[in-house]
Amino acid sequence: MPYFLSILITLICIIHIMKTGQERYWVLIVIIAPMLGPIAYFIVVTLPSLMDSRRGHQINKNIKGLVNPNADIKAAENEVRTAPTFMNQKYLADAYFAAQRYQDALTVYQKIQVGLYANDPELLLQIAKCHFFLNQPQITIQTLDTLRAKNPDYDSSEGHLFYAKALAAQGNTQRALEEFDALVVYYRGYEAKVSYIEALIQLNEIDKARELALLLSAEIDSIPKHVKDLNSDCLKRLKKILNHHHW
């Protein structure tokens, strides 16, 4: 390791130790052992604290997903074989859904949609989302209408989002725009706004899509990093839209 880089890493470690209130013996360790000391400090102190943070959990999840992408599914399948309870089967369906195996997820969700859970709002919402991702917007709308009829006191911004998206996928321009106009007023985060822009493009409302995309792009330039992290998926889609259309 170049001497200058070694000194720089040591200084960074010392600053971190002082700012975060770590035990002062770490200062001695990173000075005495300029290569091994910072490595030990990272493994023993920095990494565990990172993994306890929201971003740390996400990094850990991403690493696990790369190493064994089917770990959650296999664990859930084992649980169902051992005890095919409602919760275990729902956990399996959720794992299929997270892996984008929407037909498998739908099959399990519908299997447990019986008895007390026949009109369960969370279950109906997941079923509606599966139909949407399986390119069945009409069934998505019907399922969400059932959810609302059977659970009039249940409010779901996510359900409203997929209702609007399904209307757009049907080509029902007027109703889709009305739903999105109402949705973006209260929806927390940027998913609804990006989905609105995608729907406008899908409905060939290009001028309005461009206007909203540029406004949103200017807005996110000033938001804190942790907000960007929480909305990273939809903001990546926004960036892709801006690049594709050269806006």
Side-chain angles (χ1 to χ4, degrees):
M1 179 184 294
Y3 179 74
F4 173 76
L5 183 58
S6 175
I7 294 296
L8 179 60
I9 292 174
T10 300
L11 287 173
I12 291 172
C13 287
I14 292 172
I15 291 170
H16 188 272
I17 292 166
M18 303 302 290
K19 288 185 66 174
T20 58
Q22 304 299 329
E23 296 291 343
R24 294 298 184 262
Y25 60 74
W26 278 110
V27 175
L28 184 61
I29 292 173
V30 298
I31 291 175
I32 293 176
M35 291 181 62
L36 296 178
I39 293 173
Y41 180 72
F42 176 77
I43 293 173
V44 176
V45 177
T46 308
L47 189 59
S49 65
L50 175 64
M51 291 307 164
D52 282 338
S53 68
R54 181 191 296 271
R55 182 158 180 78
H57 284 302
Q58 185 60 47
I59 292 170
N60 197 26
K61 182 179 178 181
N62 291 342
I63 292 172
K64 287 181 178 179
L66 289 172
V67 174
N68 189 354
N70 295 316
D72 287 344
I73 291 174
K74 290 179 180 177
E77 288 173 340
N78 289 333
E79 289 292 333
V80 169
R81 278 192 289 268
T82 302
T85 63
F86 172 86
M87 290 307 300
N88 283 346
Q89 291 183 83
K90 186 175 185 303
Y91 174 61
L92 174 59
D94 290 344
Y96 284 143
F97 187 89
Q100 299 182 6
R101 291 172 56 175
Y102 300 118
Q103 185 58 60
D104 290 332
L106 179 61
T107 299
V108 180
Y109 285 134
Q110 290 177 328
K111 179 181 177 182
I112 60 177
Q113 191 193 8
V114 294
L116 294 174
Y117 300 102
N119 296 308
D120 181 82
E122 297 293 338
L123 200 55
L124 284 168
L125 178 57
Q126 288 301 109
I127 289 171
K129 288 160 62 177
C130 286
H131 283 300
F132 177 81
F133 287 118
L134 289 169
N135 297 315
Q136 299 167 340
Q138 182 58 42
I139 304 177
T140 301
I141 292 169
Q142 291 170 355
T143 304
L144 291 172
D145 282 338
T146 299
L147 187 162
R148 186 163 46 186
K150 298 295 183 180
N151 304 274
D153 296 327
Y154 179 78
D155 292 323
S156 170
S157 58
E158 190 174 18
H160 194 178
L161 171 65
F162 276 88
Y163 197 85
K165 287 163 70 80
L167 287 170
Q170 274 191 321
N172 195 333
T173 304
Q174 187 60 38
R175 286 192 63 199
L177 297 184
E178 289 173 357
E179 295 297 337
F180 271 114
D181 282 335
L183 179 65
V184 295
V185 172
Y186 74 91
Y187 195 98
R188 297 184 64 182
Y190 291 93
E191 177 61 41
K193 291 181 179 179
V194 175
S195 294
Y196 192 5
I197 293 166
E198 291 171 334
L200 287 167
I201 294 171
Q202 186 177 11
L203 296 168
N204 204 32
E205 299 281 340
I206 304 302
D207 289 341
K208 189 170 182 179
R210 180 178 180 274
E211 178 185 354
L212 292 181
L214 293 175
L215 285 172
L216 186 55
S217 178
E219 179 182 338
I220 63 176
D221 284 342
S222 61
I223 64 175
K225 185 178 183 302
H226 74 275
V227 177
K228 291 180 181 178
D229 290 341
L230 289 172
N231 294 272
S232 60
D233 289 341
C234 63
L235 294 184
K236 286 177 184 176
R237 287 167 23 222
L238 175 64
K239 184 176 180 180
K240 185 176 180 180
I241 289 170
L242 292 166
N243 290 337
H244 177 74
H245 292 277
H246 305 290
W247 291 342

